[in-house]
Amino acid sequence: MIIPIPSNKERFKIRLGINSKMPVQLGIRVYDPRYPNTYYFRRKAQFYEGNEKREFVISLPVTPEVLEMELFDKVSGEDYQFDMSYFKVEKMKPAEVWATTEQHRFMDFAIDFAQKAGHTPTGFYDSKNHEFLFQYLPTITDAFGKELITPARTHRKMPRVQISQRLFIGYTIPIRVAILAHEGCHWFLNTRSQKTADLCGIKKYLDYGFPTIEAIYAVTKVFGNNPHHVGASQVQRTKDVVAFIENYRANA
């Protein structure tokens, strides 16, 4: 089931009601049909029996001119196993991000790049006034040419971010934004602390209206793909992010 959405670069939420007819692993994808690897939302949900009713809220704080939503069974690829009971669109309020003018410009640049990172070639990307620079690399490597697992890294003394195309292509746009917001905080705060950059970046990401679950994915996805690198510090880092998000939501 594919639903065209004339998004017109607006901010909005979709409330989606789904009724299952039988057990099904529902897939939901919202993407720009004009370009590959441009997922603004991607989720799966397991329905364990027929006649289950669930609501999904899809936050889209940034959109292109057009979107498509695809609903499907992840096992068969078909859509006869469920019905859509309603599809409602709600406007989102303008973003209220507590940040300096410079940080706002970085976020605008990061969000623009995140939307095109799935289909743009490697190379150097400057912001409009040449204030920030993204170096889009096939992979990020160490001094000996070995690939690093980090999707991005920042030079703390200059506003330059190196980004791994191999990793970024597989991420949703919200996850890309969360990662770039984290990297920006390393530079703006001149800090090596992952926790400080995590919480600073996630605050800006959430203020913008992006989905909370992607903020957790942004921290855990790299670890999940490389479980042999997971240790106590990574586990604590994830706990800190989850606690911050829960507190943010409780006080929103």
Side-chain angles (χ1 to χ4, degrees):
M1 181 186 300
I2 295 179
I3 305 165
I5 304 171
S7 44
N8 296 318
K9 298 186 177 181
E10 298 288 341
R11 290 168 52 88
F12 56 90
K13 292 182 180 180
I14 296 172
R15 291 191 179 274
L16 180 69
I18 297 293
N19 298 338
S20 65
K21 298 179 181 179
M22 60 189 71
V24 60
Q25 188 177 68
L26 178 71
I28 306 173
R29 297 192 292 212
V30 181
Y31 55 90
D32 186 335
R34 301 169 301 171
Y35 304 106
N37 308 308
T38 53
Y39 292 106
Y40 287 78
F41 183 88
R42 188 169 57 196
R43 194 77 78 251
K44 62 181 178 181
Q46 182 67 54
F47 290 75
Y48 292 98
E49 58 187 29
N51 203 34
E52 281 191 53
K53 304 180 189 299
R54 293 178 64 177
E55 180 181 73
F56 300 90
V57 180
I58 301 170
S59 295
L60 298 164
V62 295
T63 65
E65 293 178 0
V66 294
L67 286 169
E68 285 183 354
M69 174 186 287
E70 183 179 11
L71 306 173
F72 61 101
D73 172 23
K74 289 185 67 68
V75 176
S76 69
E78 302 293 337
D79 60 8
Y80 62 83
Q81 301 93 334
F82 57 88
D83 287 324
M84 181 174 66
S85 56
Y86 57 85
F87 180 99
K88 301 176 183 178
V89 176
E90 301 174 359
K91 284 190 174 183
M92 294 178 68
K93 296 178 181 179
E96 297 181 357
V97 182
W98 187 262
T100 65
T101 302
E102 185 183 25
Q103 290 169 342
H104 276 288
R105 289 196 297 269
F106 179 87
M107 281 297 290
D108 290 342
F109 180 47
I111 289 168
D112 178 70
F113 183 80
Q115 292 181 86
K116 65 185 181 184
H119 55 86
T120 199
T122 56
F124 289 93
Y125 292 86
D126 269 317
S127 58
K128 289 181 181 179
N129 58 1
H130 307 290
E131 189 175 15
F132 310 111
L133 177 67
F134 289 167
Q135 185 182 9
Y136 204 27
L137 298 164
T139 59
I140 295 176
T141 59
D142 64 15
F144 302 99
K146 181 180 179 181
E147 182 179 2
L148 302 177
I149 67 168
T150 182
R153 65 181 179 184
T154 301
H155 194 297
R156 288 191 303 114
K157 295 187 178 181
M158 62 180 69
R160 185 186 74 186
V161 181
Q162 291 185 328
I163 303 166
S164 167
Q165 183 191 56
R166 188 183 74 80
L167 295 175
F168 250 48
I169 279 180
Y171 296 156
T172 63
I173 287 161
I175 290 177
R176 295 171 190 164
V177 171
I179 290 169
L180 293 175
H182 166 101
E183 296 302 328
C185 285
H186 272 301
W187 184 74
F188 287 116
L189 301 180
N190 190 25
T191 181
R192 292 182 182 275
S193 168
Q194 293 297 334
K195 178 179 178 178
T196 300
D198 278 343
L199 304 189
C200 164
I202 287 170
K203 175 66 164 61
K204 292 177 173 56
Y205 168 95
L206 295 175
D207 283 349
Y208 213 92
F210 285 101
T212 56
I213 190 66
E214 257 83 3
I216 299 171
Y217 287 166
V219 177
T220 61
K221 204 168 185 65
V222 174
F223 303 150
N225 291 337
N226 300 272
H228 52 287
H229 288 281
V230 177
S233 63
Q234 286 78 21
V235 172
Q236 185 59 51
R237 183 178 169 187
T238 303
K239 288 180 178 179
D240 290 339
V241 168
V242 171
F244 181 88
I245 291 171
E246 288 178 348
N247 183 66
Y248 181 97
R249 295 176 70 176
N251 292 283

